Amino acid sequence: MLNDRPLKLQDLNHHARQFAHKHLYKDLALTEHLAMFDHEGWIKCAEFGLFRLAIPEKFGGKGATRTELIAVMEGLGYGCEDNGLLFSINAHLWTVVLPLIAHGTPEQQAQFLPSLLDGSMIGANASTEEQAGSDVFSMQTQAVKQDGHYILNGTKCYITNAPIADLFVIYANLDPNLDPLGITAFLVPSSTPGLEISSPLPKMGMRTAQMGKITLKDCRIPVSSVLGKIGRGMAIFENAMENERGCLLASALGTMQRQLENGIQHARTRKQFVHAISKNQAVSHRLVDMKVSLDAAREMIYRVARLKDEGHNAFLEAASAKLFVSETYTKFSLDVFRLYGAQGYLANSPAERGIRDSIASLIYSGTSDIQRNIIAMELGL
Ligand SMILES: Cc1cc2nc3c(=O)[nH]c(=O)nc-3n(C[C@H](O)[C@H](O)[C@H](O)COP(=O)(O)OP(=O)(O)OC[C@H]3O[C@@H](n4cnc5c(N)ncnc54)[C@H](O)[C@@H]3O)c2cc1C
């Protein structure tokens, strides 16, 4: 349990590794084949104290820092090969729990937070639409006020956790002309009539994470469902994205560390032309480059966490971290694959899974091109 958490970051990291080894390491070949979400693992993570770790005490949290949470996420990435489960957890934390804490009314917090923190409720963020991906604020989903309620109509796609979610943060536009200044965030329980959830969409990687489409057909919700203020949806979304972009790849740091250690071991023991393959400079230098890029990636994520702990804006740094770490993670996985030769091409080998799982990071939470656009804008270009 993280309740009596030690204070040193490496202790937290170690603690999380041990927890993940003991409770989360599963036969992924089967669960991935069935695209099965590890619900038991989710509950174990909640019991471990993960969801409430960096939540202020007044909300029932443990009051840990963002940096401490990142150290735990890194440890989980090291100990747990189920990247789908970790991705689901990240979506729940950064795009539902944190926005509810930052923008929710006391009533909304009392209604939803206890269940989101103890794991009995799963959260999902619904912003993307077929025609509004990178250009998310061109969304067509509309909200209309009627008889003291809002009526939502529209469709959202590629929503992580949708098929298993209990609560959605849904972004919809209240302006009849769809001016982005009308975009508003709403809290919508999955049981609300008029909210239809598709079956899980088959994916290339992170197959245990469930992704789906939601359709809103005259979905009627009380006025008290507005999260934050009317017309503040863009700010709430940007704030959620800053947190997500800056921190969601912390678990990938642990994954890369594990892959690096295993890769070094493999390079030392695999012999070709009489010698260990590590004796070839081409191989050892590739591993060195992996180590250096991982160190840089780690610094970038911890920098965002430190800035957030100090109460600063980290919009630019979060975009830089997302860009650099996702590109590093993807290249890293290809380099791991090279190291194992044909063995890494076999389905369900860690190298094959690594490629499938890492490549999505180039797209979610804003593509690399979009991160570059954000950084250019922040630089005044
Ligand atoms: C694994 C995964 C999980 C996801 N989870 C969620 C979720 O939980 N909730 C949710 O709402 N959405 C989610 N998404 C959707 C995600 O946010 C979008 O896929 C992403 O924003 C890109 O939009 P798009 O797929 O429509 O691509 P497009 O916007 O169509 O982009 C296609 C290509 O054009 C480029 N491009 C577009 N505009 C520009 C520009 N202005 N400058 C330069 N290049 C540009 C892009 O970089 C990309 O290469 C998820 C996606 C994935 C892959």
Side-chain angles (χ1 to χ4, degrees):
M1 296 277 281
L2 287 166
N3 290 346
D4 311 312
R5 63 180 210 281
L7 290 174
K8 280 189 190 157
L9 292 182
Q10 67 257 46
D11 289 345
L12 279 169
N13 182 308
H14 182 68
H15 202 40
R17 282 182 185 198
Q18 282 187 322
F19 160 78
H21 267 305
K22 193 164 168 199
H23 297 288
L24 304 181
Y25 192 72
K26 289 268 161 64
D27 177 9
L28 276 181
L30 181 67
T31 51
E32 281 205 316
H33 177 67
L34 300 173
M36 231 172 76
F37 176 67
D38 181 7
H39 204 269
E40 200 185 316
W42 174 277
I43 294 295
K44 286 257 173 357
C45 286
E47 287 168 358
F48 181 53
L50 180 63
F51 302 157
R52 59 178 80 245
L53 179 65
I55 302 302
E57 278 152 335
K58 67 173 174 172
F59 296 116
K62 292 288 153 198
T65 63
R66 178 72 61 90
T67 309
E68 288 174 315
L69 174 59
I70 291 304
V72 169
M73 291 302 251
E74 184 179 352
L76 290 179
Y78 186 95
C80 168
E81 291 192 27
D82 184 356
N83 293 314
L85 174 65
L86 300 180
F87 190 65
S88 292
I89 289 171
N90 273 292
H92 172 84
L93 276 180
W94 307 118
T95 64
V96 179
V97 174
L98 288 200
L100 182 57
I101 285 183
H103 308 285
T105 61
E107 292 74 26
Q108 290 169 336
Q109 290 162 345
Q111 186 181 356
F112 297 118
L113 269 179
S115 310
L116 289 167
L117 298 185
D118 72 14
S120 54
M121 210 177 220
I122 297 178
N125 162 82
S127 43
T128 305
E129 300 175 2
E130 291 289 356
Q131 302 306 326
S134 299
D135 186 12
V136 65
F137 297 139
S138 69
M139 64 179 66
Q140 305 284 306
T141 297
Q142 270 197 307
V144 175
K145 196 166 181 186
Q146 209 178 73
D147 306 331
H149 285 77
Y150 289 107
I151 313 292
L152 305 186
N153 276 290
T155 307
K156 300 284 180 183
C157 52
Y158 313 123
I159 309 307
T160 303
N161 291 344
I164 50 168
D166 303 285
L167 179 69
F168 289 90
V169 173
I170 297 180
Y171 292 84
N173 203 324
L174 264 165
D175 184 285
N177 300 316
L178 298 178
D179 183 318
L181 290 175
I183 294 174
T184 302
F186 297 92
L187 290 165
V188 187
S190 60
S191 55
T192 311
L195 192 165
E196 286 170 19
I197 305 170
S198 75
S199 32
L201 302 170
K203 305 193 296 324
M204 177 196 284
M206 299 194 296
R207 291 181 182 158
T208 59
Q210 308 285 297
M211 175 192 268
K213 177 174 160 178
I214 65 167
T215 309
L216 301 150
K217 283 187 193 154
D218 292 330
C219 179
R220 191 176 152 91
I221 51 174
V223 282
S224 58
S225 311
V226 171
L227 176 63
K229 292 197 168 65
I230 288 166
R232 295 290 291 158
M234 284 198 295
I236 293 173
F237 178 81
E238 292 296 12
N239 186 243
M241 285 300 111
E242 177 186 325
N243 283 319
E244 184 173 80
R245 284 173 188 146
C247 303
L248 136 154
L249 285 164
S251 53
L253 299 175
T255 305
M256 287 189 273
Q257 182 65 40
R258 166 169 38 80
Q259 287 173 330
L260 179 66
E261 290 171 17
N262 291 343
I264 290 171
Q265 180 64 17
H266 176 75
R268 279 185 180 150
T269 50
R270 167 77 176 162
K271 285 189 177 161
Q272 288 295 283
F273 303 99
V274 184
H275 300 293
I277 58 170
S278 61
K279 294 299 168 199
N280 300 294
Q281 203 176 55
V283 174
S284 65
H285 280 193
R286 189 151 45 237
L287 283 159
V288 168
D289 288 348
M290 288 162 71
K291 154 87 179 133
V292 173
S293 60
L294 171 57
D295 285 350
R298 187 176 281 117
E299 287 302 316
M300 293 190 83
I301 289 190
Y302 278 82
R303 175 175 69 161
V304 173
R306 273 196 305 276
L307 283 168
K308 297 312 289 177
D309 284 336
E310 290 162 7
H312 298 301
N313 174 313
F315 202 59
L316 186 150
E317 292 80 4
S320 298
K322 168 66 175 49
L323 173 61
F324 184 78
V325 182
S326 62
E327 295 284 344
T328 297
Y329 185 27
T330 307
K331 180 176 182 306
F332 204 96
S333 300
L334 270 176
D335 286 340
V336 168
F337 172 72
R338 288 181 219 275
L339 196 61
Y340 285 88
Q343 190 188 324
Y345 193 64
L346 295 183
N348 299 316
S349 67
E352 183 256 3
R353 181 178 299 116
I355 292 175
R356 286 194 284 105
D357 286 357
S358 62
I359 206 161
S361 67
L362 302 178
I363 305 294
Y364 57 64
S365 222
T367 68
S368 291
D369 300 321
I370 294 304
Q371 305 310 324
R372 286 192 173 89
N373 289 352
I374 293 170
I375 297 163
M377 191 184 67
E378 291 288 309
L379 293 175
L381 298 170

